[in-house]
Amino acid sequence: MRSSHDMPFGAHLLPGGNIRFRLWAPAVRQVELILKQDDGKKTILPMHSLADGWFQIETSPPQAQPGTFYHYRLDDALDIPDPASRANPQDIHGPSQVVDATAFIWQDDAWQGRPWHEAVIYELHLGTFTSAGTFAAALQHLDYLVELGITAIELMPVADFPGARNWGYDGVLLFAPDHSYGTPEDLKTLVQAAHARGLMVLLDVVYNHFGPEGNYLHAYAPQFFSDRHHTPWGAAINFDGKDSRTVRDFFIHNALYWLEEYHFDGLRLDAVHAIADNSRPDIVTELAAVVQAGPGSTRQVHLILENDANIASYLQQGTLAAQWNDDCHHALHLLLTGESDGYYADYADQPTRHLARCLAEGFAFQGEPSAFRAGQLRGEPSRHLPLSAFINFTQTHDQIGNRAYGERMARLAPEKSLQVALAILLLAPSPPMLFMGEEFAAATPFQFFCDFQGELASTVTEGRRREFSGFRAFTDPAALASIPDPNDLATFEGCKLDWDCLNQSRHQAWLEYYQRLLALRRTQIMPHLPGIHGGAGFELIGATGLIVRWGLGDGTQLTLLTNLGDEPMEGPLHLDGAPLYLSQVDLSGFLSAGRMPPWCAAWFIKETQL
């Protein structure tokens, strides 16, 4: 099988070998196509001006062919890469390269994806997942992920970014896999190999801004940006103003491109709360509908959101599978570490209740005022939504990397407490997500890193340190200066996972613990999840004791009893069902006597009698 997504812009190989080049450049008078030949010579071809700011030319071999490098020249003054470049091997300022998407022969014809209730997600960053930091190197760990119990890999953004290293959220060429990771064919090989092992592959995409370097759109298509909306990264993308139809199509085609040409099983839409769009349907709703009517109509395709606003109505439309549940993370993080700075302050009053509401109803904030946001109401009711719509976690790239030193949870929380927290998240009905390396308590941090140059590099480094200047731990200038420089190569290198540490007993023990819990999830819980609804019941016992009871999709009852504090809790504890997991061997005796020891968790399951 050969796959290529046809779109109205970029370089597209036509039947017979001709190539159509198309650019939307409404702010310029003329555009020329600059082709770089193998002998170093350049061919300059004037592009035809079409209606509504479009320019187009069709070439025939040997003028251009797969592998040919090309630029667009604007008004005889500025050479730019193709904003829809499929490959940019010489980085974001260099020429684009013609790619024949149909040259890759897919062998995953029988793959139809996996149902969402089977999702166990593993978020990873390609550059630090392995020492080589490439698509090819990541492929070597796929069997390991299957043995761990993972069913879905979530790649942090791979769109071409400035320099040789980046988290991925500074991408500017959104159709080109970054050259530091490998070629488009290498990425397709990774996806295909994952499918052969039963693994879904999800891709993180950024539709709320472009990176701060290498974005030439302002020079020839300022209509891409809005002068009415702003974001933390500057001018907002124009999704609802004049000429926004072309802009919306650009991002919708980007989503379809990754799903169709690369066979991804889904996308995670980054920070949709930062997308300013007053139109109806808004871009998120329209994109989801187009995806489900397209590739989602023939195979399982899952769209997930990051949305700090907790807009539950997105999730009830049936076209979006789930959202990262930061509420769950924040409440649990506070319980594990005692940290209550910043947004954690919103959960400091009753962290156990906030966690209980997440486990039973989805969001903790469902329209309540947020003190961190100056009393602004946050969220919408979510109790009616299926619990499969909420992805829970103890760690993500954000929650680790946005710390000053990038410490992982195994460095911040006591081992016993963290194990209890994991027993809750990995066995609860909502889909769990791991961040790479957490399963073996990786000692390496995950810090913020990038590869900017000149004034931008200095601005980013200074801004990173200024961000923490208000924290008590960094009132000393020497402490502030100790925060790693994001642009220093050593910062990036220090974040690479050390796989050799699995030869040490402590790290191996952590891995085996995750494997046991995920095996329990796969065999004892997952078969009962299809059809599960929201609105489970919960009870609080004292300040840190908690009971949650879920009715699963087939009527099976799942019950959690847990104490997330340092003091024992007492209360009437009804043990209904067979023990599924006990955090300590003598726990049944304590529970039968109406007592929950400090930091404990017990799971019980009662299957429907047929």
Side-chain angles (χ1 to χ4, degrees):
M1 178 170 60
R2 303 174 188 267
S3 299
S4 176
H5 175 67
D6 189 7
M7 47 196 178
F9 31 69
H12 185 69
L13 186 65
L14 302 172
N18 287 4
I19 298 173
R20 182 193 67 213
F21 295 87
R22 211 159 187 260
L23 176 72
W24 189 54
V28 303
R29 298 184 307 276
Q30 68 175 25
V31 179
E32 295 170 304
L33 175 66
I34 313 296
L35 300 173
K36 183 178 179 181
Q37 308 302 333
D38 291 340
D39 58 7
K41 295 181 180 179
K42 293 181 179 178
T43 300
I44 303 176
L45 302 173
M47 297 180 69
H48 308 295
S49 176
L50 306 178
D52 301 320
W54 288 94
F55 292 83
Q56 178 177 309
I57 189 172
E58 185 174 316
T59 65
S60 57
Q63 284 177 312
Q65 53 197 343
T68 297
F69 286 92
Y70 67 99
H71 268 122
Y72 295 125
R73 179 165 293 170
L74 310 178
D75 287 339
D76 202 28
L78 177 65
D79 289 356
I80 63 165
D82 190 339
S85 168
R86 280 178 163 89
N88 245 67
Q90 298 175 31
D91 209 6
I92 57 170
H93 299 291
S96 301
Q97 187 175 37
V98 176
V99 172
D100 178 7
T102 64
F104 187 87
I105 302 176
W106 289 89
Q107 305 292 333
D108 64 350
D109 303 44
W111 175 256
Q112 294 297 307
R114 297 184 68 148
W116 185 245
H117 75 270
E118 296 181 356
V120 177
I121 307 165
Y122 190 92
E123 186 194 22
L124 67 88
H125 177 268
L126 261 305
T128 54
F129 182 56
T130 63
S131 58
T134 63
F135 298 127
L139 189 153
Q140 300 169 19
H141 292 278
L142 295 181
D143 290 333
Y144 162 88
L145 294 177
V146 172
E147 293 171 7
L148 171 59
I150 299 302
T151 63
I153 304 167
E154 182 177 320
L155 303 180
M156 289 173 64
V158 301
D160 204 1
F161 49 74
R165 53 194 179 275
N166 197 283
W167 274 15
Y169 300 93
D170 293 315
V172 291
L173 298 178
L174 304 189
F175 295 79
D178 193 86
H179 64 289
S180 65
Y181 300 147
T183 66
E185 290 73 19
D186 291 336
L187 176 54
K188 293 174 184 178
T189 299
L190 173 61
V191 174
Q192 179 166 264
H195 290 169
R197 291 161 172 81
L199 291 167
M200 296 184 283
V201 189
L202 313 174
L203 179 65
D204 199 342
V205 292
V206 182
Y207 295 160
N208 50 57
H209 75 288
F210 291 91
E213 180 188 343
N215 175 19
Y216 293 93
L217 284 166
H218 292 279
Y220 60 92
Q223 293 88 336
F224 248 87
F225 305 95
S226 171
D227 57 5
R228 297 178 300 112
H229 304 301
H230 294 275
T231 74
W233 309 282
I237 292 173
N238 174 27
F239 286 118
D240 61 0
K242 188 176 183 294
D243 295 317
S244 61
R245 184 66 262 166
T246 302
V247 178
R248 292 168 78 95
D249 288 345
F250 182 88
F251 289 95
I252 288 172
H253 275 286
N254 184 260
L256 294 172
Y257 164 81
W258 292 117
L259 295 170
E260 295 177 353
E261 198 158 301
Y262 283 83
H263 292 200
F264 279 102
D265 299 282
L267 305 172
R268 176 220 182 231
L269 308 184
D270 176 69
V272 299
H273 55 270
I275 293 176
D277 184 0
N278 295 325
S279 58
R280 293 293 178 267
D282 65 15
I283 184 61
V284 174
T285 303
E286 181 183 357
L287 185 151
V290 171
V291 166
Q292 293 304 331
S297 66
T298 57
R299 59 186 174 92
Q300 308 237 27
V301 172
H302 310 293
L303 298 180
I304 59 180
L305 302 178
E306 179 193 20
N307 182 9
D308 184 67
N310 283 5
I311 301 177
S313 51
Y314 273 141
L315 301 171
Q316 66 193 26
Q317 297 166 359
T319 54
L320 293 152
Q323 174 180 318
W324 279 20
N325 195 356
D326 281 340
D327 280 354
C328 187
H329 169 272
H330 297 346
L332 196 51
H333 183 96
L334 193 151
L335 286 162
L336 286 168
T337 68
E339 295 179 352
S340 58
D341 288 337
Y343 44 64
Y344 293 125
D346 272 352
Y347 306 83
D349 55 344
Q350 291 182 295
T352 307
R353 185 182 186 279
H354 287 302
L355 176 63
R357 202 177 193 198
C358 291
L359 294 173
E361 301 180 3
F363 295 137
F365 279 82
Q366 301 181 32
E368 292 77 14
S370 163
F372 175 69
R373 297 165 180 81
Q376 178 182 343
L377 300 183
R378 176 170 175 254
E380 297 175 346
S382 61
R383 179 181 171 83
H384 61 290
L385 294 173
L387 290 170
S388 59
F390 304 93
I391 299 169
N392 294 333
F393 42 83
T394 62
Q395 304 179 61
T396 70
H397 75 273
D398 267 331
Q399 302 304 337
I400 303 171
N402 285 330
R403 300 180 65 85
Y405 298 113
E407 308 102 317
R408 294 168 176 270
M409 188 58 74
R411 291 278 305 275
L412 301 173
E415 181 172 305
K416 180 182 178 182
S417 304
L418 182 53
Q419 287 181 341
V420 168
L422 292 168
I424 294 171
L425 290 188
L426 298 184
L427 298 180
S430 293
M433 184 174 72
L434 283 59
F435 181 67
M436 63 174 196
E438 74 162 84
E439 73 279 5
F440 55 82
T444 52
F446 187 77
Q447 298 164 342
F448 177 61
F449 51 79
C450 51
D451 186 21
F452 297 134
Q453 303 298 319
E455 184 178 347
L456 178 59
S458 300
T459 299
V460 169
T461 298
E462 293 167 6
R464 173 70 171 171
R465 290 172 177 163
R466 188 168 54 249
E467 180 182 347
F468 295 98
S469 61
F471 288 77
R472 290 188 299 271
F474 297 103
T475 53
D476 181 356
L480 199 61
S482 71
I483 295 174
D485 180 354
N487 287 284
D488 189 338
L489 177 60
T491 302
F492 169 70
E493 294 289 347
C495 294
K496 289 179 178 286
L497 288 181
D498 175 15
W499 290 93
D500 290 339
C501 77
L502 281 170
N503 295 322
Q504 302 172 24
S505 59
R506 175 177 178 269
H507 296 288
Q508 185 63 38
W510 270 108
L511 176 61
E512 291 171 358
Y513 183 69
Y514 274 82
Q515 288 174 326
R516 288 197 302 273
L517 288 174
L518 291 177
L520 273 178
R521 180 182 187 87
R522 181 178 64 254
T523 59
Q524 303 300 315
I525 295 175
M526 201 177 285
H528 305 293
L529 292 179
I532 187 174
H533 299 291
F538 67 87
E539 305 170 34
L540 300 178
I541 301 175
T544 59
L546 173 63
I547 303 175
V548 188
R549 295 184 177 90
W550 295 269
L552 303 185
D554 60 357
T556 295
Q557 179 174 297
L558 184 66
T559 303
L560 167 67
L561 287 79
T562 184
N563 180 8
L564 299 168
D566 296 327
E567 301 297 329
M569 291 287 122
E570 295 188 5
L573 305 176
H574 178 60
L575 310 184
D576 194 8
L580 178 65
Y581 169 89
L582 301 173
S583 60
Q584 56 194 66
V585 293
D586 57 350
L587 188 54
S588 288
F590 282 104
L591 298 176
S592 297
R595 300 184 66 225
M596 286 196 289
W599 286 103
C600 69
W603 285 94
F604 296 86
I605 190 166
K606 184 178 181 180
E607 297 189 21
T608 304
Q609 299 296 318
L610 299 179

